[in-house]
Amino acid sequence: MAFSRSYLSKNLLLNIDVAPVYPAHDAQAIIEVMGTFLGCGNQVKLVLGNDTPDSSHYDDRLILEIVRARRWFDRMASGKIASIAELAKHEGCSAPYVSRKISLEFLAPNIVQQFLDGTLPIALTLECIKKACPLPINWDEQSAILLGR
């Protein structure tokens, strides 16, 4: 990205006069950052810096989806809701949608813990998980599919 020095000074609330490097015009300040575009499905993220094991990446949307899946499953397991079709009608969505989403209830505990700790690879998005659904019940197979392990 390139910005004029006077624009940056004005918008960063720096009350200083910026002498242009090139007297004929307001010189540009160029901001460069290292990053990577990661895409999965319709979602694209710009990742700045490195995705290292000690970096944290919280995906609030994904955590909310897991919580909702658990709530849905609990309602069915307790007998409050008799079927996926009834749950879908109650939630105002389709039965196939509920079937796909409720499978998040069966994510491997280590994967869920990594979501909560913010230690999953940033490339593992909700869109990527949706593409992998229905997930296998075997937690080792889930890890292989979602984490490449």
Side-chain angles (χ1 to χ4, degrees):
M1 297 180 149
F3 299 96
S4 72
R5 293 178 190 270
S6 59
Y7 173 85
L8 283 175
S9 175
K10 177 182 168 192
N11 288 290
L12 294 175
L13 303 175
L14 302 174
N15 294 319
I16 58 173
D17 290 326
V18 178
V21 176
Y22 305 102
H25 64 290
D26 189 13
Q28 291 186 341
I30 298 173
I31 300 171
E32 294 182 13
V33 294
M34 297 301 293
T36 306
F37 286 101
L38 296 175
C40 188
N42 295 329
Q43 187 177 33
V44 176
K45 287 185 177 184
L46 172 60
V47 180
L48 300 178
N50 295 326
D51 185 22
T52 60
D54 59 342
S55 61
S56 295
H57 306 289
Y58 294 97
D59 189 338
D60 293 336
R61 186 171 154 228
L62 183 53
I63 293 169
L64 289 174
E65 292 285 347
I66 292 169
V67 168
R68 182 170 64 167
R70 288 187 170 193
R71 189 181 73 238
W72 284 358
F73 183 78
D74 288 345
R75 288 170 65 194
M76 290 183 60
S78 69
K80 292 177 183 172
I81 299 284
S83 67
I84 286 182
E86 183 182 335
L87 180 60
K89 184 177 179 181
H90 187 266
E91 295 290 325
C93 51
S94 70
Y97 175 83
V98 171
S99 292
R100 279 191 314 274
K101 293 293 186 165
I102 210 164
S103 68
L104 293 174
E105 159 62 11
F106 305 105
L107 276 174
N110 67 312
I111 295 174
V112 173
Q113 190 62 52
Q114 287 179 343
F115 283 131
L116 298 175
D117 293 342
T119 57
L120 275 179
I122 198 162
L124 185 58
T125 64
L126 182 57
E127 293 296 321
C128 291
I129 293 173
K130 281 188 213 176
K131 280 186 153 186
C133 284
L135 291 168
I137 297 297
N138 182 290
W139 291 338
D140 291 332
E141 290 176 26
Q142 286 182 18
S143 290
I145 291 169
L146 297 176
L147 305 174
R149 297 180 189 158

